[in-house]
Amino acid sequence: MPEKHSIGSQIGDLAQSGEKMIERLRRKAFLPESRKGLNVRFGIAEAAGLLGCSTNRIRMAEDDGRLPPPPAGDNGRRLGYSIEDMLNMREVLGASPRRASGDPAAMIAVQNFKGGVGKSTVTTHLAHYFAVRGYRVLVVDCDSQATTTTLFGFNPHFNITREETLYPYLSIDPTQADLLYAVKHTPWPNVDLIPSNLELFDVEYELAAAGADGQSVLATRFRKLKQGLTDISRNYDVVILDPPPALGTISLAVMQAANALLVPLAATTPDFCSTVQFLSMMDQVLEQLTEAGIAVDYQFVRLLCSKFDANDPSHDMVRAIMEQSFGPALLPVPILESAEISHAAMRMMTIYELEKPIGTARTHKRCRANLDEALGQVEQLVRSTWGRVDRIDEELVVNG
């Protein structure tokens, strides 16, 4: 029988070997500088659709000098508009979707205690969906497993220190008074990230060891995270929180700090049962928080079916059960299972970052259209909390 220390050594070796492989994959994916880049561009028709205006309006703005034309390639053809170009176009043409100064930023917690539901995938795709549409987005990785941080192109083991996570702000002996220190820029000009790594879990240990004074310490930490996020959210329209998939101190603090809850779940019986348990547990916890004087208020609570296979009869059956159980709280459009999403994740990317399809053009187009529709449901919920309605598409008006 092997000794305990040898088992520990073996596990440590496995972890170290895995971390080295992640770094190798990251370097291969982000050559030549080993830094994630963003080279996606939009044609004029797609740009007009995103801005809610006509292609003629864009061309007129380019003709009269208000907008620069997109660069041309070696063959003389226009290369399309970058994300930076799109943001500038929104400002010049008055097509920015930003919230009004009196509207609070949407602070959406993407949470489920069941693993494998695509929580981090939904988080990153939701962030990039909002970014494409011109919103200012902050993603806060509160999970020490740091999958979201990895998908944004950072290696949590090699690139992120504990001092760059939420730890210096939430620890028993904090060294930071606000969260500005932790904000990192990403390749997206309108998406920032507060990263995570394994050492963030130290917060859980410290608070568990707080002793008899634990309850007051916990309450203080809950209020502190909410205050810090509220302060920093002044610079953003949407804040997306990715908490740990467990009922710990950080998860509870995130649940209290958020003003909206999005629960992803897959269309399987175990996922459905686990999600019901999660909701039941959340109900009890929120009741206890309220009794302790810690306010929790959500502008919306929705469930989003992810990894849905329309060709699997069992998925249809489970989704029907979800509809009967959750009613309108279940968003009507699920995220479809797609090899394109899996292939993009292998490159530490989302569908919105791909310059060209990985699989067939048809598969990519279908996947992108589904994501736009599914995540657009969340956008409309956010806009409704601001009292905003859908913008009218000028192209549709002109063409009847």
Side-chain angles (χ1 to χ4, degrees), residues 45-120:
E46 187 176 7
L50 287 169
L51 270 63
C53 70
S54 66
T55 55
N56 284 337
R57 188 178 180 192
I58 295 176
R59 289 194 176 97
M60 288 173 61
E62 292 175 351
D63 290 341
D64 62 26
R66 285 178 294 150
L67 288 175
D74 295 336
N75 58 4
R77 296 183 61 182
R78 291 156 62 115
L79 296 177
Y81 304 96
S82 67
I83 290 292
E84 289 88 348
D85 294 333
M86 293 289 294
L87 292 173
N88 180 52
M89 290 164 71
R90 289 184 182 278
E91 294 298 324
V92 171
L93 300 179
S96 174
R98 291 182 180 180
R99 63 185 174 87
S101 58
D103 295 325
M107 211 166 298
I108 308 170
V110 181
Q111 177 63 303
N112 196 329
F113 294 163
K114 172 72 168 62
V117 298
K119 184 166 64 73
S120 296

Side-chain angles (χ1 to χ4, degrees), residues 58-383:
I58 295 176
R59 289 194 176 97
M60 288 173 61
E62 292 175 351
D63 290 341
D64 62 26
R66 285 178 294 150
L67 288 175
D74 295 336
N75 58 4
R77 296 183 61 182
R78 291 156 62 115
L79 296 177
Y81 304 96
S82 67
I83 290 292
E84 289 88 348
D85 294 333
M86 293 289 294
L87 292 173
N88 180 52
M89 290 164 71
R90 289 184 182 278
E91 294 298 324
V92 171
L93 300 179
S96 174
R98 291 182 180 180
R99 63 185 174 87
S101 58
D103 295 325
M107 211 166 298
I108 308 170
V110 181
Q111 177 63 303
N112 196 329
F113 294 163
K114 172 72 168 62
V117 298
K119 184 166 64 73
S120 296
T121 301
V122 169
T123 297
T124 50
H125 277 86
L126 187 61
H128 292 163
Y129 169 88
F130 275 113
V132 167
R133 277 149 184 80
Y135 297 88
R136 300 165 299 170
V137 183
L138 173 67
V139 178
V140 186
D141 193 351
C142 312
D143 185 357
S144 57
Q145 295 181 69
T147 304
T148 294
T149 297
T150 301
L151 289 173
F152 269 96
F154 298 94
N155 187 315
H157 184 75
F158 290 100
N159 305 134
I160 305 298
T161 66
R162 187 171 71 172
E163 285 65 37
E164 296 173 287
T165 71
L166 291 173
Y167 178 84
Y169 183 76
L170 291 179
S171 67
I172 293 294
D173 298 311
T175 57
Q176 297 287 350
D178 58 50
L179 291 173
L180 287 172
Y181 73 94
V183 175
K184 289 190 177 295
H185 299 305
T186 74
W188 293 76
N190 53 337
V191 181
D192 289 336
L193 171 73
I194 293 182
S196 178
N197 71 3
L198 189 60
E199 293 178 289
L200 178 59
F201 195 75
D202 290 348
V203 170
E204 303 278 4
Y205 286 123
E206 290 182 6
L207 294 175
D213 194 36
Q215 290 301 319
S216 63
V217 172
L218 287 176
T220 300
R221 287 301 171 276
F222 289 169
R223 295 189 178 96
K224 185 175 184 181
L225 180 60
K226 182 170 186 175
Q227 185 60 56
L229 290 172
T230 300
D231 290 344
I232 204 170
S233 70
R234 295 168 184 164
N235 301 320
Y236 303 96
D237 304 300
V238 180
V239 178
I240 305 175
L241 309 170
D242 185 7
L247 188 61
T249 303
I250 295 177
S251 289
L252 291 176
V254 170
M255 293 296 97
Q256 194 265 338
N259 59 24
L261 178 63
L262 183 65
V263 183
L265 72 160
T268 69
T269 301
D271 281 277
F272 172 75
C273 296
S274 175
T275 300
V276 171
Q277 292 299 314
F278 161 70
L279 295 171
S280 177
M281 193 178 301
M282 279 295 301
D283 178 51
Q284 297 176 33
V285 169
L286 294 178
E287 184 177 339
Q288 293 172 2
L289 290 175
T290 301
E291 291 175 356
I294 302 173
V296 179
D297 184 26
Y298 295 147
Q299 295 175 324
F300 63 83
V301 176
R302 293 293 187 276
L303 295 96
L304 174 61
C305 183
S306 61
K307 299 184 175 183
F308 181 74
D309 186 351
N311 298 316
D312 188 334
S314 69
H315 281 217
D316 282 328
M317 290 178 60
V318 175
R319 180 161 172 79
I321 292 172
M322 291 179 188
E323 291 172 346
Q324 293 177 27
S325 303
F326 303 134
L330 177 69
L331 293 173
V333 180
I335 294 179
L336 301 178
E337 182 81 75
S338 175
E340 196 78 352
I341 294 177
S342 301
H343 291 155
M346 279 290 294
R347 293 161 172 78
M348 299 182 189
M349 302 174 79
T350 68
I351 296 300
Y352 296 103
E353 294 179 294
L354 296 177
E355 297 176 58
K356 58 184 179 180
I358 298 175
T360 66
R362 182 180 178 183
T363 298
H364 178 86
K365 185 177 181 179
R366 184 170 60 242
C367 177
R368 171 68 183 269
N370 167 248
L371 284 169
D372 286 347
E373 188 178 8
L375 300 177
Q377 300 170 120
V378 183
E379 180 190 11
Q380 291 309 313
L381 288 168
V382 169
R383 292 178 65 80

